[in-house]
Every structure is written in C-alpha cells, then in structure tokens.
Amino acid sequence: MKGETALQKAIVDFLRAKGHEVLRLNSGTLRVKRGYLHCAKKGTPDILCLVDGRAIFFEVKMPGKKITKAQSARHREIEGSGSRVFIVSSVVHARNALEEWLGYLVV
C-alpha cells in the first residue's frame, strides 16, 4: 500500500479505534463482468464517519495536493445539507478536524 491509500487506511483505523462507525467511500465507475458498477457520485469524499448520529466526511489528500473541481462541487453539496467535509493530509489533521467538529479534545 502506498501514498494516499495508506494514509486513508491510517485515518480509518484511527477513527475506528476511537469507537466511531467509519465507511470508506468509492466514487466513480468500476468495470465488472457484465458491465459497470456505479459507486458514489463523482467527487464524493473518501471517508464517512458517523458520531452520535451526525456525519463528518474526510477528503484525504497527500501533502501539497489539491482537490478537483468535481470534489469541490460535491463538498459544497454535502455541506449545504448540514454535514462537514474536511480536507486532511495526515492522521493528526483528521484528529484536529474531528476535535473542531465535536468541540472537544479527542484523547
């Protein structure tokens, strides 16, 4: 496992270790035997974390990388529905985002 995939796994593992329900989201289309499998809408963040019945999303990017126009548009849609999307490039960034969203320190 390299780069962004390894970083996503580390963030998912951290969130699960804190007792949260976490889903890794796949967007786009995958070719399968009988055609195509349509996954989440293009631009959907990488991780969905559920905490106390509320949803927080994480878009994982390697340091220095930027989100695409499709991601930016999808993030606005999600935030327009009342959820939050954080762009993170490390487990520490994810923890800080979670603390900001929850309003208390995560230990």
Side-chain angles (χ1 to χ4, degrees):
M1 223 179 325
K2 291 184 185 179
E4 201 169 287
T5 302
L7 179 55
Q8 288 173 6
K9 182 181 180 336
I11 292 169
V12 166
D13 290 347
F14 164 76
L15 294 168
R16 286 185 177 148
K18 296 301 173 190
H20 305 305
E21 181 67 29
V22 181
L23 300 170
R24 168 71 177 86
L25 304 175
N26 292 305
S27 62
T29 305
L30 301 171
R31 183 152 174 73
V32 293
K33 265 187 179 179
R34 295 185 182 180
Y36 292 92
L37 172 66
H38 297 277
C39 300
K41 188 174 179 180
K42 187 174 181 177
T44 297
D46 301 304
I47 299 169
L48 165 61
C49 180
L50 301 173
V51 182
D52 299 328
R54 299 184 299 159
I56 179 175
F57 294 83
F58 295 93
E59 180 67 52
V60 179
K61 289 291 179 193
M62 294 303 292
K65 298 291 182 179
K66 297 186 186 253
I67 62 172
T68 65
K69 288 180 182 179
Q71 288 170 326
S72 180
R74 184 69 176 128
H75 295 180
R76 283 192 304 275
E77 287 177 16
I78 291 168
E79 290 187 332
S81 73
S83 293
R84 286 290 308 267
V85 179
F86 288 95
I87 301 164
V88 297
S89 59
S90 70
V91 173
V92 172
H93 287 159
R95 186 196 73 225
N96 292 345
L98 187 61
E99 288 175 346
E100 176 186 326
W101 184 69
L102 290 171
Y104 58 82
L105 296 178
V106 175
V107 289

